[in-house]
Amino acid sequence: GDLDTGIYFPAANALGFALAGSAVGCWTTTGLGIGTASPTTALHVEGQVRGGNADNAWGYKSYGSSGALRGGLWNLSSGLEFVGASFNNRVSLNDSANSVKIRTAGLDRFLIDASGNVGIGTTSPGNTLHVNGGVRLSSLPTSAAGLSTGDIWNDSGTLKIA
């Protein structure tokens, strides 16, 4: 067909879209392809996507070559969420709570709250750094020489604060 600008018929039961001599999309019995001539879903976009509506409720799902969901980006009323394929892994940027949260294996693991407090293993940090669980420190200095007040050092297996 004519690939200058307009609609053409690239194959049976398909409409192609061209702009300035380049194919830019295709509508087939499978779906509408933008940036692809072979859509695999009802709407298949190759390249960057921008969207939204009056409520700012939109989502983007990323699919692998096998058609399996790889993850997505959701604009929720409270902020943004980047999610993994199972939705058990996610990073949430919550505007209403002014917080950032990371979840793995379906459990909240890390949070920065509105006060700037960081929680590891807790979603309610009670201090600048709140760790719920074990902590491992390695490669600590073995003398207080050159350390600043508040630095931690290892004195023959005993932790000390300079």
Side-chain angles (χ1 to χ4, degrees):
D2 177 14
L3 288 179
D4 188 27
T5 297
I7 299 173
Y8 65 102
F9 303 100
N13 299 317
L15 286 175
F17 306 97
L19 181 64
S22 298
V24 293
C26 189
W27 193 354
T28 70
T29 55
T30 303
L32 176 62
I34 300 174
T36 179
S38 305
T40 59
T41 59
L43 176 61
H44 181 158
V45 179
E46 290 290 329
Q48 295 181 345
V49 177
R50 182 177 181 169
N53 62 25
D55 297 326
N56 285 329
W58 52 266
Y60 168 74
K61 293 181 181 178
S62 173
Y63 292 89
S65 58
S66 66
L69 179 65
R70 290 189 303 208
L73 167 67
W74 306 104
N75 182 12
L76 308 172
S77 61
S78 61
L80 286 175
E81 242 182 24
F82 302 89
V83 296
S86 67
F87 289 81
N88 285 325
N89 302 313
R90 62 183 68 197
V91 175
S92 302
L93 308 173
N94 189 321
D95 285 337
S96 60
N98 294 310
S99 65
V100 176
K101 182 170 32 176
I102 297 175
R103 171 179 279 211
T104 63
L107 298 172
D108 295 335
R109 308 289 185 166
F110 179 89
L111 175 101
I112 303 173
D113 70 12
S115 301
N117 292 343
V118 175
I120 300 174
T122 179
T123 57
S124 304
N127 214 319
T128 304
L129 177 61
H130 182 158
V131 178
N132 182 17
V135 176
R136 169 171 259 165
L137 303 173
S138 58
S139 301
L140 292 173
T142 55
S143 92
L147 297 181
S148 298
T149 301
D151 287 350
I152 298 173
W153 61 287
N154 180 356
D155 183 10
S156 302
T158 301
L159 291 180
K160 294 192 174 182
I161 299 175

